Amino acid sequence: MSKLIILRGNSGSGKTTVAKALQHSFPQGTVMSIGQDEVRRDMLNIKDDTSNLAVLAIETLAIFGCQHYPIVIIEGILSRKKYGHMLDKLQELFDQTHCYYFDLSFETTVSRHQQRIQRFSFSEINMANWWLDKDYLKFENEKMIGPEMSQIEIVKLLRADVWEN
């Protein structure tokens, strides 16, 4: 049974940290994690526009993951406008999809960003320019992650959702 976990939300909301913690909470070799930033910035070195090749690359990696791993995590801002169609197609491919949106205020994401190692990589102004308010996919099972949940609580919730289904 293949399971897809989608973690979406604005920059600085904690998606990458949660994805890594979640991946490492499962036995080694059972979870493939695909980060939008790693694919788009690090692998492809391209801008995030509507025709960027990161969409196809993420889709291709996820298909590979579906064939070889029981659990695939895709995390990133993953705006509905640019990535929504691809995520919708992947939802059909996997046996189960668990979709989560980090629904946080701009102030909360800025505060969290200030606590990160890469806090000097981009500014609050950059974050404001990238901000997408309430950019839900509107998947039937999309769940909201609020500011009151800690990283540990989020990982426990996601693990429970994945194992119970």
Side-chain angles (χ1 to χ4, degrees):
M1 173 164 295
S2 60
K3 298 180 181 187
L4 175 63
I5 300 170
I6 302 169
L7 304 177
R8 301 176 58 252
N10 283 291
S11 184
S13 59
K15 306 168 303 291
T16 304
T17 304
V18 166
K20 288 179 182 178
L22 183 62
Q23 181 183 31
H24 294 295
S25 76
F26 288 102
Q28 187 174 11
T30 61
V31 179
M32 179 179 173
S33 183
I34 305 166
Q36 175 190 0
D37 286 345
E38 291 172 331
V39 172
R40 186 187 59 76
R41 285 193 326 226
D42 301 339
M43 292 173 63
L44 303 177
N45 192 27
I46 57 175
K47 292 186 184 277
D48 194 22
D49 59 32
T50 53
S51 63
N52 80 65
L53 289 174
V55 177
L56 178 60
I58 291 169
E59 180 178 4
T60 303
L61 287 167
I63 291 168
F64 171 86
C66 182
Q67 295 167 348
H68 299 283
Y69 287 83
I71 301 170
V72 175
I73 301 169
I74 300 176
E75 64 85 10
I77 295 174
L78 300 166
S79 73
R80 183 179 64 233
K81 181 179 177 182
K82 297 172 192 166
Y83 296 85
H85 180 68
M86 177 267 297
L87 294 170
D88 197 41
K89 287 191 328 188
L90 290 176
Q91 180 179 222
E92 299 298 319
L93 175 68
F94 284 78
D95 295 319
Q96 290 181 9
T97 301
H98 303 272
C99 184
Y100 303 89
Y101 183 78
F102 286 69
D103 197 9
L104 310 174
S105 69
F106 180 71
E107 294 75 20
T108 299
T109 60
V110 169
S111 174
R112 288 183 178 187
H113 176 64
Q114 294 304 319
Q115 299 169 29
R116 299 166 64 194
I117 294 170
Q118 58 272 64
R119 65 185 167 273
F120 301 112
S121 299
F122 52 87
S123 69
E124 183 176 338
I125 294 168
N126 295 127
M127 293 174 74
N129 289 334
W130 302 330
W131 184 259
L132 298 170
D133 195 39
K134 311 282 186 214
D135 188 42
Y136 309 132
L137 287 176
K138 300 182 182 153
F139 284 5
E140 184 178 309
N141 64 345
E142 186 173 25
K143 294 182 180 177
M144 302 303 133
I145 303 291
E148 70 285 348
M149 294 184 73
S150 70
Q151 174 189 321
I152 293 169
E153 291 170 326
I154 296 168
V155 170
K156 282 183 181 177
L157 169 72
L158 274 58
R159 279 187 58 91
D161 284 354
V162 170
W163 282 124
E164 288 176 9
N165 295 311

